[in-house]
Amino acid sequence: MVRNSSVPARNSFLRPSRFRALWVLAGLALAAPAGAQLTDSQLWATDGPVNAMALSGNTLFIAGRFGYVGPNSGCFVGIDATTAGIQAGSPRVEGRVAAAAPDGAGGWFIGGGFVRVNGVPRSNLAHIRVDGTLDGWNPGADGFVSALAVSGSTIYVGGEFNRTGGQTRRCIAAIDATTGLATAWDPWAEWSVLALAVSGSTVYAGGVFNYIGNSPRPHIAAIDAVTGLATAWNPRADHWVEALAVSGSTVYAGGLFGNVGGQARSRIAAIDVVTGLATAWNPGTVGHDVVALAVSGPTVYAGGHFTNMGGQPRSFFAALDGATGLATAWDPKANELVASLAVAGSTVFAGGGFTSIGGQARINIAAIDATTGLATPWNPGANGAVYALGVNGTTVWAGGNFSSAAGVARKNIAALDVATGHATAWDPGADANVNALGVSGSIVYAGGDFSTIGGESRSNIAALDASTGSATAWNPGADYSVRALAVEGSTIYAGGDFTNAGGEARARIAALDLATGLATAWNPGADHSVRALAVEGSTIYAGGSFTSIRGQPRNCIAALDAATGFATAWDPRANSSVYSLAVGGSKVYAGGSFNDIGGRSRDNIAALDAATGFATEWNPGADGTVYALTVSGTKVYAGGTFAVTSGQIRLHIAELDAASGYVTQWAPAADEAVVALAVSSSRVYAGGFFSSIDGFSVRGLAGLLRLDTPVPVQLAEGVAEAEPGRVHLVWRGAGAIDLGARVSRRTEPASNWLELGSPTARSRDELEYEDLAAEAGATYTYRLSRGIEVLSREISVKVPTAAVFALAGAKPNPATARELTVEFSLTGTGAATLDVLDLAGRREYARALSGLHPGRHTLPLVDARLAPGVHWLYLKEGGRSAHARVLVIK
């Protein structure tokens, strides 16, 4: 069963300003330089913020506050019900999917708050075919879609919109499944519709409304499927209805109500379909709302925010006896919200915002045994809440507020192979935040707020084997948070909030011996937190919120002698916190929340002379805090909460010229703060609190192509043939089959590149791909790529608005009688035939082409049995004709 009710209230579209802000940011992200795809779609993402990164060879170590790392899948995916892997051909949906309904042919109608599907603009409504491609169905909705229900050729839509299907429709509509146009059915709800269910000629609606179908109907109503008017059925709920399920003569409702159908019913009720009165069935809940319902035989499954249901303690998930309303013994015990349900055979699939369910760690999606209540081994995970579930054969379809599914559990620290983008087996696990990382040889140093990491008790600082992830014997300990690390020679410098480290009193800064873990004699001491460290030669630079270090007044930034720990004369005096430091040549770059540093007015970012401490002329300025800095060659990369730097819009991340301070054209744009950076020769790795970057849904971590990196092109030749709904592409080049290429498409005028899928091999040196989601009249550009690496020249093609009549001729030509094939296109406007004539005009072969769809066709003629020699192909359709010559050889 597919859940058609809304997303839960506390995370729902009922705060539309939040989603409008995200859409605005997404629009700004698309303002990156034309043709510049910056985001590496192969790099896995997390389900929470990444606070620190360290790049060592081909391994990117990441740390922060997350529990999951997985592939960038978009927010609606098909997951294999056995392997838990993402099904090939799953669509790429950018945004949020809150509802999904099967189309009856293996595909899905989806609704939510999304803007693109497979790179094609779609406003909150779309139809996905069984093969994962996008249909031309495009009703659009000008607001969030929360609920869907399918009945025959009609798609019922509920949400918070004013227009859909080309018509004014307030929060509820019926859309033709073929044309995408709104039907005449128009109940008009005065406020949000959160849940829909269809039974026969009745459409049941639940939501926030008090008026619908031309009648007062508080929060729940039955609408005539023909007239759009409310029927006499009127249970009158006293608060929101968020979930509906119809079974026989009963309508089950869940939500926030305390009274419905004339009876006191806490959050869940069974309502008679004839009278509208609540039945005696009365599980009741303790806690918050019920947001998901599913009926399977004699059992009613419920999910939500409750802690007690059916007279028993039940955390967020319960099974209720359909006759008595009592909770059964089945008790999966979720630790947080269960928001979507689907039952298939002996398995109950659950989605939501949990991290534990059925006695196992499961991140936001799980399969629960319908008998035992225990989680099965199936464990795909998702990096955001799952709000819609459905099962089609051996595939579980999931939609929600995630950008990644089918990944792996990794608690606060992980390692990624930058060649593949995938997480490695390295899995130390930390029981709390990891704030800082450092690498030296085969050891990874971690600092944070943890008490356990790498399988051992470690107080806020640890050394981890870079191969196994196990904690080494090195164990200095720190009594409070470690926020910064810097490795130099045989010493690791640590900064944070601690007062003891390495077995000695050390106020917020310490030097620890890499062999013993003991604090060295180096002991500057700071009166407040140290948040950033950088080492250059015999100088240790420190930034933070301190006002004194080693007994000397130093406002938020200082240079310390690596031998003595004394503060040097270098004294830029920032007037507020310094959170990031980087050294480049004769400059020390500082980022933070200051507006005065080095004796000059500097907004949040500055370059300081390494000798004098004075601010240089370099002055990009930033309108928000700068939390991360790194220098690479002639570029300085900055991350933070800013939206403008160097007088240009740069959302939370920027590339600055190290000489002038001006921003470059590089402009990926993140929707939230970037707080960690690492740079390789070809990529900038960004970590932070964002959920989209470069216009793509990607959470916590992104790999971004540097514009100064040359991009190799290996396949030079490509051709495209287009017709309405289809573009056929072919690329040729030596060894094409071995390149591991993927097809990407961009909609013109220039938008972001979207990865479509893998091409198929026609030969060792030839690849082809058919884009079956091409819209008539659209112009597309295609290319082959491998991650960010571009492998081919671009092919641009305009899709015709109508099919054409054409005879391309025989392929190959000349050809043997056994391999002769004819390529042609039809318009579908009349009867069509294909004849083969000899040179005297005598018909040698005739083929009726009735039943072929408009568009391009390839027809083998092996049954023609043509003799060697010259023949004429003669194609007719309606009043049109075309001919071509073919040479048949032995």
Short mmCIF file of all heavy atoms in Angstrom, two decimals, residues 712-734:
data_model
loop_
_atom_site.label_atom_id
_atom_site.label_comp_id
_atom_site.label_asym_id
_atom_site.label_seq_id
_atom_site.Cartn_x
_atom_site.Cartn_y
_atom_site.Cartn_z
N PRO A 712 39.98 16.47 -19.96
CA PRO A 712 40.29 15.72 -21.17
C PRO A 712 39.03 15.33 -21.95
O PRO A 712 37.99 15.07 -21.36
CB PRO A 712 40.99 14.46 -20.61
CG PRO A 712 40.41 14.29 -19.25
CD PRO A 712 40.16 15.68 -18.74
N VAL A 713 39.15 15.33 -23.25
CA VAL A 713 38.08 14.86 -24.11
C VAL A 713 38.63 13.68 -24.89
O VAL A 713 39.57 13.82 -25.67
CB VAL A 713 37.58 15.96 -25.07
CG1 VAL A 713 36.56 15.40 -26.05
CG2 VAL A 713 36.99 17.11 -24.28
N GLN A 714 38.06 12.50 -24.70
CA GLN A 714 38.60 11.29 -25.31
C GLN A 714 37.81 10.84 -26.53
O GLN A 714 38.34 10.22 -27.42
CB GLN A 714 38.63 10.17 -24.27
CG GLN A 714 39.54 10.50 -23.09
CD GLN A 714 39.65 9.36 -22.11
OE1 GLN A 714 39.44 8.21 -22.47
NE2 GLN A 714 39.99 9.66 -20.87
N LEU A 715 36.51 11.11 -26.56
CA LEU A 715 35.67 10.71 -27.69
C LEU A 715 35.27 11.96 -28.46
O LEU A 715 34.56 12.81 -27.96
CB LEU A 715 34.42 9.97 -27.22
CG LEU A 715 34.67 8.66 -26.46
CD1 LEU A 715 33.35 8.01 -26.10
CD2 LEU A 715 35.50 7.71 -27.29
N ALA A 716 35.75 12.09 -29.69
CA ALA A 716 35.55 13.32 -30.42
C ALA A 716 34.28 13.32 -31.26
O ALA A 716 33.69 14.36 -31.51
CB ALA A 716 36.75 13.59 -31.32
N GLU A 717 33.84 12.16 -31.73
CA GLU A 717 32.75 12.12 -32.71
C GLU A 717 31.45 11.67 -32.06
O GLU A 717 31.41 10.71 -31.30
CB GLU A 717 33.12 11.15 -33.84
CG GLU A 717 32.11 11.15 -34.97
CD GLU A 717 32.51 10.19 -36.09
OE1 GLU A 717 33.62 9.66 -36.05
OE2 GLU A 717 31.69 9.99 -37.00
N GLY A 718 30.37 12.38 -32.37
CA GLY A 718 29.06 12.00 -31.86
C GLY A 718 27.97 12.49 -32.78
O GLY A 718 28.11 13.53 -33.43
N VAL A 719 26.89 11.73 -32.89
CA VAL A 719 25.75 12.12 -33.73
C VAL A 719 24.48 11.91 -32.94
O VAL A 719 24.41 11.09 -32.01
CB VAL A 719 25.70 11.30 -35.04
CG1 VAL A 719 26.90 11.61 -35.92
CG2 VAL A 719 25.63 9.80 -34.75
N ALA A 720 23.44 12.67 -33.30
CA ALA A 720 22.16 12.58 -32.62
C ALA A 720 21.03 12.64 -33.64
O ALA A 720 21.11 13.39 -34.62
CB ALA A 720 22.00 13.70 -31.60
N GLU A 721 19.99 11.84 -33.40
CA GLU A 721 18.76 11.89 -34.18
C GLU A 721 17.62 12.11 -33.21
O GLU A 721 17.54 11.42 -32.18
CB GLU A 721 18.54 10.60 -34.97
CG GLU A 721 19.61 10.34 -36.02
CD GLU A 721 19.42 9.00 -36.71
OE1 GLU A 721 18.65 8.17 -36.17
OE2 GLU A 721 20.01 8.79 -37.76
N ALA A 722 16.73 13.06 -33.51
CA ALA A 722 15.68 13.42 -32.57
C ALA A 722 14.31 13.32 -33.20
O ALA A 722 14.14 13.57 -34.40
CB ALA A 722 15.90 14.85 -32.05
N GLU A 723 13.36 12.96 -32.38
CA GLU A 723 11.95 12.97 -32.73
C GLU A 723 11.19 13.22 -31.44
O GLU A 723 11.77 13.12 -30.35
CB GLU A 723 11.52 11.65 -33.36
CG GLU A 723 11.72 10.47 -32.44
CD GLU A 723 11.51 9.13 -33.15
OE1 GLU A 723 12.06 8.95 -34.25
OE2 GLU A 723 10.78 8.30 -32.61
N PRO A 724 9.92 13.59 -31.50
CA PRO A 724 9.19 13.88 -30.25
C PRO A 724 9.28 12.72 -29.26
O PRO A 724 8.99 11.57 -29.59
CB PRO A 724 7.75 14.09 -30.74
CG PRO A 724 7.89 14.54 -32.15
CD PRO A 724 9.07 13.81 -32.69
N GLY A 725 9.76 13.03 -28.05
CA GLY A 725 9.84 12.02 -27.00
C GLY A 725 11.06 11.14 -27.06
O GLY A 725 11.22 10.25 -26.22
N ARG A 726 12.00 11.41 -28.00
CA ARG A 726 13.12 10.49 -28.15
C ARG A 726 14.30 11.17 -28.83
O ARG A 726 14.13 11.87 -29.83
CB ARG A 726 12.68 9.28 -28.98
CG ARG A 726 13.78 8.28 -29.30
CD ARG A 726 13.21 7.19 -30.19
NE ARG A 726 14.24 6.30 -30.64
CZ ARG A 726 15.03 6.53 -31.69
NH1 ARG A 726 14.91 7.64 -32.38
NH2 ARG A 726 15.95 5.65 -32.05
N VAL A 727 15.50 10.97 -28.25
CA VAL A 727 16.74 11.37 -28.91
C VAL A 727 17.67 10.17 -28.91
O VAL A 727 17.92 9.56 -27.86
CB VAL A 727 17.42 12.56 -28.19
CG1 VAL A 727 18.76 12.87 -28.84
CG2 VAL A 727 16.53 13.79 -28.21
N HIS A 728 18.15 9.79 -30.09
CA HIS A 728 19.07 8.67 -30.24
C HIS A 728 20.47 9.21 -30.46
O HIS A 728 20.70 10.02 -31.37
CB HIS A 728 18.65 7.79 -31.41
CG HIS A 728 19.55 6.60 -31.62
ND1 HIS A 728 20.41 6.50 -32.68
CD2 HIS A 728 19.72 5.48 -30.87
CE1 HIS A 728 21.08 5.35 -32.59
NE2 HIS A 728 20.67 4.73 -31.50
N LEU A 729 21.42 8.79 -29.61
CA LEU A 729 22.78 9.32 -29.64
C LEU A 729 23.78 8.21 -29.88
O LEU A 729 23.63 7.10 -29.36
CB LEU A 729 23.10 10.01 -28.31
CG LEU A 729 22.17 11.16 -27.93
CD1 LEU A 729 21.65 10.97 -26.52
CD2 LEU A 729 22.89 12.48 -28.03
N VAL A 730 24.82 8.53 -30.64
CA VAL A 730 25.91 7.59 -30.90
C VAL A 730 27.23 8.34 -30.76
O VAL A 730 27.39 9.43 -31.31
CB VAL A 730 25.80 6.97 -32.30
CG1 VAL A 730 27.00 6.05 -32.56
CG2 VAL A 730 24.51 6.19 -32.46
N TRP A 731 28.17 7.75 -30.01
CA TRP A 731 29.54 8.28 -29.90
C TRP A 731 30.51 7.23 -30.42
O TRP A 731 30.33 6.03 -30.18
CB TRP A 731 29.90 8.60 -28.46
CG TRP A 731 29.26 9.83 -27.92
CD1 TRP A 731 29.73 11.11 -28.00
CD2 TRP A 731 28.04 9.89 -27.18
NE1 TRP A 731 28.87 11.97 -27.35
CE2 TRP A 731 27.83 11.25 -26.84
CE3 TRP A 731 27.10 8.95 -26.76
CZ2 TRP A 731 26.72 11.67 -26.12
CZ3 TRP A 731 26.00 9.37 -26.05
CH2 TRP A 731 25.82 10.73 -25.73
N ARG A 732 31.56 7.68 -31.09
CA ARG A 732 32.56 6.77 -31.62
C ARG A 732 33.95 7.21 -31.18
O ARG A 732 34.24 8.41 -31.12
CB ARG A 732 32.50 6.72 -33.16
CG ARG A 732 31.15 6.25 -33.69
CD ARG A 732 31.15 6.21 -35.21
NE ARG A 732 29.83 5.78 -35.70
CZ ARG A 732 28.85 6.63 -36.01
NH1 ARG A 732 29.06 7.93 -35.90
NH2 ARG A 732 27.70 6.18 -36.43
N GLY A 733 34.81 6.22 -30.90
CA GLY A 733 36.18 6.52 -30.53
C GLY A 733 36.87 5.25 -30.08
O GLY A 733 36.23 4.31 -29.60
N ALA A 734 38.16 5.19 -30.23
CA ALA A 734 38.92 3.98 -29.91
C ALA A 734 38.74 3.60 -28.45
O ALA A 734 38.91 4.42 -27.55
CB ALA A 734 40.40 4.19 -30.22
#
